[in-house]
Amino acid sequence: MTTQQGAAGPGDSSRALLGIVLMCIAMFVVPIVDVFAKMLVQQGIPPLQTVFLRMATGTLLLVPVVRIYSPQSLGRIRQPLPVFMLGLSIVGSTTCFFIALEFMPIANALAISFVQPFFVTILSKYVLKEQVGASRWSALVIGFAATLMIIRPNSDAFEPNSIFALMAGAFMALYVITVRSGVKVASALTTTFYTHASATALAAPFMFFLWETMNLEKWLLIMAMALVGLLVQFLMIKAYEFGEASLIAPLSYMEMISSTLAGLWFFSEFPDRTTFLGVAILICCALFTSYHTKSRSTVPLNQEN
């Protein structure tokens, strides 16, 4: 939320601090979704089925909320193509990320998906026709080199499934570009609702071919994933309401810390030094790119992962 011109008052400082706290909580909670997803795919549940059930559960949970706070948004969709693109990008991003989680440590998969700001730069240039200067192209090249440090395609440490984490970042960039290109719905709540609903509709036909029977424990994991995902989305939206984007957005990289801790705690996973170095370079380049991006709208990246 932008402050008035002039000196910031005590109220502005308090709101900014609250935004920081909410974003930090969100970033330390969001890896729980990845932990549950990794548990499910390692137990034989197809990643796309996991995505479908999470999105469908989230849609059902959102219906009564939307009926209360934004009933007019449940009518005819005025912009079906952008809503379709939102659903497609979330299905693609989350499915690719969950596939990567089956074979890779959570922190490594997340680190590779951090290429998303660089895909946004490329799409901004060729889709939105935005001006991209030499400094941002330089940051993109350095960021790509850092990504190669993490993936290490020519070494024994190379994991072929890391390409899915890379694709997850690309799909999330498509989500950002879709929002920037002019998706207009009543509120962030309805954006979240239609994203979940369209993702559910897109994934549903594949369930006839992929469905695996689930026991009670797995259903509880799905319900927990949906609830935690919605909580994270709410916290991030409120964080961006209370604090300016330039203050809140960089805090999203705290997810790397919480994901590393979650991977260590639940799966005894820990990234090596090369991965940490690559992540550090990638984050610095991404922050540089973010500060030099003149966007028309603020997009909280919840990484629906």
Side-chain angles (χ1 to χ4, degrees):
M1 184 175 227
T2 340
T3 56
Q4 300 282 338
Q5 287 184 350
D12 295 324
S13 300
S14 299
R15 289 176 64 83
L17 179 59
L18 179 57
I20 291 172
V21 171
L22 292 177
M23 189 64 173
C24 289
I25 294 173
M27 290 304 99
F28 274 94
V29 170
V30 69
I32 295 175
V33 175
D34 299 335
V35 168
F36 291 161
K38 191 175 180 75
M39 289 178 176
L40 285 166
V41 297
Q42 287 185 339
Q43 292 177 38
I45 303 302
L48 186 55
Q49 180 178 333
T50 303
V51 173
F52 166 74
L53 291 174
R54 177 190 168 188
M55 293 293 111
T57 304
T59 302
L60 293 175
L61 292 172
L62 283 169
V63 167
V65 180
V66 175
R67 286 182 65 88
I68 294 172
Y69 294 102
S70 187
Q72 70 281 1
S73 65
L74 293 176
R76 185 172 61 86
I77 300 175
R78 296 180 181 178
Q79 295 179 295
L81 181 58
V83 170
F84 169 82
M85 293 302 296
L86 289 176
L88 177 64
S89 59
I90 289 300
V91 168
S93 173
T94 313
T95 302
C96 287
F97 193 77
F98 287 176
I99 292 173
L101 287 182
E102 185 175 0
F103 304 98
M104 300 177 63
I106 295 175
N108 288 40
L110 179 66
I112 297 169
S113 72
F114 279 168
V115 298
Q116 173 258 325
F118 308 110
F119 283 117
V120 170
T121 298
I122 296 171
L123 292 174
S124 296
K125 169 68 175 178
Y126 295 105
V127 177
L128 301 183
K129 307 301 181 183
E130 294 180 356
Q131 292 296 319
V132 178
S135 58
R136 285 174 62 190
W137 283 119
S138 299
L140 190 149
V141 171
I142 296 172
F144 181 71
T147 305
L148 292 179
M149 286 180 61
I150 300 169
I151 298 176
R152 279 164 278 181
N154 295 321
S155 74
D156 294 335
F158 173 62
E159 169 54 65
N161 291 286
S162 60
I163 189 66
F164 288 105
L166 199 66
M167 291 170 62
F171 273 112
M172 274 311 299
L174 178 62
Y175 176 87
V176 174
I177 292 298
T178 302
V179 174
R180 278 194 193 172
S181 64
V183 177
K184 291 179 173 59
V185 289
S187 65
L189 173 62
T190 54
T191 302
T192 304
F193 172 74
Y194 278 121
T195 299
H196 277 70
S198 58
T200 302
L202 286 169
F206 297 96
M207 295 305 101
F208 291 102
F209 310 100
L210 297 175
W211 187 266
E212 292 287 337
T213 305
M214 307 214 312
N215 57 26
L216 178 60
E217 178 188 355
K218 293 172 183 175
W219 281 107
L220 290 175
L221 286 174
I222 290 291
M223 178 64 72
M225 284 177 64
L227 288 171
V228 173
L230 291 175
L231 172 63
V232 169
Q233 182 79 9
F234 174 78
L235 291 173
M236 291 181 67
I237 289 171
K238 300 305 291 184
Y240 277 91
E241 286 181 6
F242 291 130
E244 293 184 355
S246 60
L247 177 67
I248 300 300
L251 297 174
S252 63
Y253 292 105
M254 292 184 65
E255 185 183 354
M256 189 65 205
I257 300 173
S258 54
S259 291
T260 300
L261 294 174
L264 181 62
W265 180 267
F266 289 97
F267 305 105
S268 300
E269 303 169 343
F270 197 76
D272 57 23
R273 294 179 182 177
T274 305
T275 298
F276 274 119
L277 178 59
V279 169
I281 296 173
L282 200 57
I283 290 176
C284 289
C285 292
L287 290 175
F288 176 84
T289 301
S290 298
Y291 280 120
H292 284 74
T293 299
K294 302 297 182 183
S295 60
R296 289 177 182 159
S297 60
T298 300
V299 182
L301 299 180
N302 95 1
Q303 318 208 334
E304 282 274 347
N305 301 333

